[in-house]
Amino acid sequence: QVQLVESGGGLVQAGGSLRLSCTASPSTFNMETINWYRQAPGKQRELVAAVTSGGSTSNADSVKGRFTISRDNAKNRVYLQMNSLKPEDTAVYYCNTRYDEWTGSGYRNLYDYWGQGTQVTVSS
């Protein structure tokens, strides 16, 4: 059974920084693309950032220039460095990895794992 465990959330003042970590176990599990999502109360879950197995990254427009995603394959870990935090960044942040295999006629999901989430609260 694959598990994703997030850590690093907490309470911070606006303008501050936090670094979230996501660790996959067992260590033999090779993570493909890793996504960070967040969900604020009363809102839909949104994709914040992603990093591929090759290290290519992408960020949502709302966090560009403030958040940086990175990965350490040796530790099977992904990080989300969050700077210049704003109250609207307050949410539960989730780590996710999924893999869809091309079958020739469509995609078939092979796995879709989620962490338990870590709370980030930014005070004004």
Side-chain angles (χ1 to χ4, degrees):
Q1 180 71 23
V2 174
Q3 286 189 321
L4 300 179
V5 178
E6 302 101 335
S7 62
L11 173 64
V12 64
Q13 288 188 331
S17 298
L18 284 174
R19 189 176 80 157
L20 306 184
S21 298
C22 170
T23 303
S25 62
S27 59
T28 52
F29 175 68
N30 293 317
M31 298 190 292
E32 297 291 332
T33 295
I34 303 299
N35 307 301
W36 279 102
Y37 284 84
R38 68 184 180 187
Q39 187 166 25
K43 294 188 177 181
Q44 287 189 330
R45 190 171 294 188
E46 66 167 333
L47 179 62
V48 174
V51 59
T52 68
S53 57
S56 296
T57 63
S58 60
N59 289 342
D61 288 343
S62 59
V63 304
K64 278 183 179 177
R66 300 188 299 121
F67 290 11
T68 303
I69 188 171
S70 61
R71 65 188 297 160
D72 184 338
N73 290 330
K75 295 182 178 179
N76 231 21
R77 191 171 295 169
V78 173
Y79 303 99
L80 185 67
Q81 178 67 44
M82 306 186 295
N83 298 328
S84 302
L85 283 161
K86 304 175 181 180
E88 50 263 44
D89 294 319
T90 295
V92 178
Y93 284 71
Y94 298 91
C95 179
N96 161 260
T97 182
R98 63 174 292 148
Y99 185 73
D100 299 301
E101 178 185 64
W102 177 248
T103 65
S105 58
Y107 283 96
R108 178 182 65 172
N109 178 248
L110 294 185
Y111 59 80
D112 188 8
Y113 299 117
W114 291 85
Q116 82 288 351
T118 185
Q119 176 70 47
V120 171
T121 302
V122 184
S123 63
S124 57

